[in-house]
Amino acid sequence: MAHTATLTHGGFNLTARIANLIEHVKENRARASEYTRTYTELQRLSDRELNDIGIRRCDIADIAREHAYCS
């Protein structure tokens, strides 16, 4: 009887875990999309435009990562 209760509880727990996994996947996809968008926009700027805003071309990936994953 205790085994049946454990299975039922585990079933609900599994459903919650799957829902949580799906939510994390959606969040990670949104962050990856934001990274790509930021990276692409900065890459499209000329060296002069980047210099005007104080960004070196070699720092674009770090800036995009920080924007998408640390904010």
Side-chain angles (χ1 to χ4, degrees):
M1 191 145 183
H3 184 65
T4 304
T6 303
L7 287 177
T8 302
H9 176 66
F12 289 120
N13 189 24
L14 179 60
T15 302
R17 290 175 67 188
I18 290 172
N20 192 25
L21 174 65
I22 291 170
E23 188 60 35
H24 282 283
V25 168
K26 287 180 182 179
E27 183 179 314
N28 287 339
R29 286 182 129 187
R31 288 182 185 268
S33 177
E34 184 66 20
Y35 170 85
T36 301
R37 186 181 69 78
T38 303
Y39 182 87
T40 302
E41 286 181 11
L42 290 173
Q43 276 295 103
R44 288 183 178 161
L45 295 176
S46 69
D47 288 336
R48 182 181 175 130
E49 291 169 321
L50 288 171
N51 190 40
D52 286 346
I53 59 175
I55 296 175
R56 298 179 307 169
R57 191 163 296 281
C58 64
D59 293 331
I60 290 175
D62 293 335
I63 291 168
R65 187 179 309 100
E66 185 176 326
H67 172 72
Y69 296 102
C70 297
S71 56

